[in-house]
């Protein structure tokens, strides 16, 4: 949002790091040619090395959003989406005419393994879950996610924010499972929202089904170069260090939000979901002060009492503005 202090968008950098800009700039003269097989191979090998997977288990994507758009190629009879969650998978599946069932988790929005068996329909042959989940920031355990598996079912795990968790302890990106598809985004961590960069990890057979009806040259030269660079050893180390620093910043931000009477959902992602009976009024007051936060009544399972804010160094200004707007406590848990 131009001219505003933006806590609504989760891109964690104002621009890509200088080393990445330099690498992408070096490829500009190549744009007269179509992406080469060597470019694709380099990107695949970098991702495979980063996650300990085989090269043919890696699919470069034009952002994780392209992965959601391709899910209809799997031809599911019925999809289940663990909600609240990112809205793109539902939009893509519904547009393809695939019935979608929402498994709505109640506060604090964690998976309860004992109830999932009855909450997820038996005939759901595709289940989509975020980990950590957008917008709740909840990080589910590997065991809870794997409990969603059933014969004949594909589990899609949206790990767009997994690299923001130090050590990525609950990630399934390194697990070669025939019925699990992991989608990763690089746009948030590296300030590449305008380039659209990501990748999928899955068995070769699953990836072949996913790309059964895909356009030619779907991922451009600069995107492939970005994937390779952002999965290099030095980039992974830089992202890991940023994740550690973000933990302390998030903790301070949560403490600040709670100090002004807001109910904060326990989470691990680089954004914070919080609630107040006065959320809509607070959001409008913040907007008047040129501060943007994300309204959350557009997410299935949430209402007008919830707001989401990205973890940013300017968080004290957000907390101070909320305090001046007159936040009031009122538990939604």
């Amino acid at each position: 949002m131009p001219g505003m202090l933006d806590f609504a968008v989760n891109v964690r950098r104002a621009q890509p790091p200088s080393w990445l800009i330099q690498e992408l700039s070096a490829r500009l003269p190549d744009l007269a040619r179509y992406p080469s097989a060597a470019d694709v191979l380099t990107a695949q090998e970098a991702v495979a090395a980063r996650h300990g997977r085989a090269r043919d288990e890696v699919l470069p994507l034009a952002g994780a959003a392209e992965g959601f758009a391709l899910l209809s190629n799997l031809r599911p009879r019925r999809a289940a989406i663990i909600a609240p969650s990112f809205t793109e998978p539902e939009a893509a599946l519904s547009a393809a005419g695939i019935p979608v069932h929402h498994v709505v988790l109640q506060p604090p929005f964690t998976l309860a393994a004992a109830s999932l068996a009855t909450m997820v329909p038996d005939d759901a042959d595709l289940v989509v879950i975020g980990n950590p989940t957008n917008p709740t920031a909840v990080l589910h355990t590997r065991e809870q996610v794997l409990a969603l598996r059933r014969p004949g079912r594909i589990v899609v795990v949206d790990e767009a924010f997994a690299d923001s968790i130090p050590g990525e302890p609950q990630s399934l990106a390194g697990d070669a499972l025939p019925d699990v598809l992991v989608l990763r985004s690089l746009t948030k961590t590296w300030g590449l929202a305008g380039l659209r960069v990501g990748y999928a990890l899955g068995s070769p057979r699953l990836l072949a089904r996913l790309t059964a009806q895909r356009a030619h040259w779907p991922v451009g030269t600069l995107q492939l170069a970005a994937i390779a660079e952002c999965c290099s050893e030095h980039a992974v180390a830089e992202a890991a260090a940023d994740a550690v620093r973000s933990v302390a910043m998030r903790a301070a931000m949560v403490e600040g939000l709670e100090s002004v009477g807001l109910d904060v959902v326990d989470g691990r992602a680089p954004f914070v979901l919080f609630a107040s009976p006065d959320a809509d009024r607070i959001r409008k007051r913040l907007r008047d002060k040129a501060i943007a936060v994300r309204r959350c009544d557009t997410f299935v399972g949430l209402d007008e009492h919830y707001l989401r804010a990205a973890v940013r160094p300017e968080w004290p200004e957000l907390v101070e503005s909320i305090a001046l707007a007159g936040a009031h406590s009122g538990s939604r848990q």
Side-chain angles (χ1 to χ4, degrees):
M1 299 182 183
M4 300 191 77
L5 180 53
D6 195 350
F7 288 89
V9 174
N10 289 318
V11 178
R12 301 197 287 280
R13 294 171 181 261
Q15 65 180 41
S18 59
W19 55 263
L20 182 53
I21 292 176
Q22 291 172 5
E23 292 293 338
L24 295 178
S25 297
R27 297 304 306 272
L28 291 177
D30 300 332
L31 295 185
R33 300 189 298 271
Y34 288 104
S36 69
D39 291 327
V40 176
L41 182 63
T42 299
Q44 287 178 306
E45 289 180 339
V47 175
R50 191 246 192 271
H51 294 291
R53 301 289 291 261
R55 188 183 68 208
D56 59 359
E57 294 176 318
V58 176
L59 176 69
L61 294 171
E66 190 201 5
F68 298 132
L70 293 173
L71 290 180
S72 60
N73 288 338
L74 300 176
R75 301 193 180 280
R77 296 184 302 275
R78 188 182 190 190
I81 296 178
I82 310 299
S85 66
F86 186 47
T87 57
E88 193 73 25
E90 179 194 5
L93 291 166
S94 296
I98 297 167
V100 174
H101 173 84
H102 289 100
V103 179
V104 181
L105 304 179
Q106 299 302 312
F109 309 113
T110 57
L111 288 173
S115 63
L116 281 178
T118 57
M119 294 174 68
V120 179
D122 290 337
D123 62 347
D125 51 358
L126 183 74
V127 177
V128 183
I129 183 170
N131 203 34
T133 301
N134 180 13
T136 64
V138 169
L139 181 66
H140 308 294
T141 68
R142 288 167 46 87
E143 292 73 20
Q144 289 171 331
V145 176
L146 291 173
L148 296 169
R149 301 168 70 199
R150 296 287 187 279
R153 173 185 292 173
I154 296 170
V155 177
V156 179
V157 188
D158 174 11
E159 293 192 359
F161 296 96
D163 62 355
S164 68
I165 312 298
E168 303 182 19
Q170 308 306 332
S171 172
L172 293 176
D175 294 63
L177 301 169
D179 55 348
V180 175
L181 178 70
V182 175
L183 299 179
R184 285 271 183 142
S185 171
L186 296 169
T187 61
K188 307 298 190 299
T189 298
W190 299 112
L192 293 172
L195 192 58
R196 315 304 299 145
V197 186
Y199 52 89
L201 297 160
S203 70
R205 181 178 179 183
L206 183 55
L207 295 183
R209 292 176 58 193
L210 190 70
T211 56
Q213 299 181 41
R214 195 186 190 196
H216 295 296
W217 297 291
V219 183
T221 299
L222 295 185
Q223 293 165 303
L224 292 168
I227 292 171
E229 288 301 319
C230 294
C231 289
S232 64
E233 288 187 12
H234 74 86
V236 172
E238 183 174 323
D242 287 344
V244 172
R245 287 190 290 268
S246 179
V247 169
M249 188 187 305
R250 190 184 198 280
M253 179 174 169
V254 167
E255 184 177 353
L257 292 170
E258 291 177 335
S259 73
V260 293
L262 299 172
D263 290 327
V264 178
V265 175
D266 186 27
R268 298 281 302 278
F271 47 84
V272 180
L273 182 69
F274 57 92
S276 168
D278 298 326
D280 189 57
R281 182 176 62 84
I282 290 171
R283 181 178 63 84
K284 292 176 180 177
R285 291 284 185 89
L286 291 174
R287 182 187 60 196
D288 293 341
K289 294 178 178 293
I291 298 176
V293 294
R294 177 69 157 85
R295 61 184 293 182
C296 290
D297 56 346
T298 57
F299 293 97
V300 172
L302 299 179
D303 58 24
E304 71 279 5
H305 297 103
Y306 286 96
L307 298 172
R308 189 196 69 196
V311 175
R312 294 189 49 163
E314 301 89 347
W315 67 263
E317 185 174 342
L318 172 67
V319 171
E320 180 181 1
S321 297
I322 291 175
L324 292 174
H328 299 288
S329 63
S331 177
R332 304 286 300 173
Q333 304 296 312

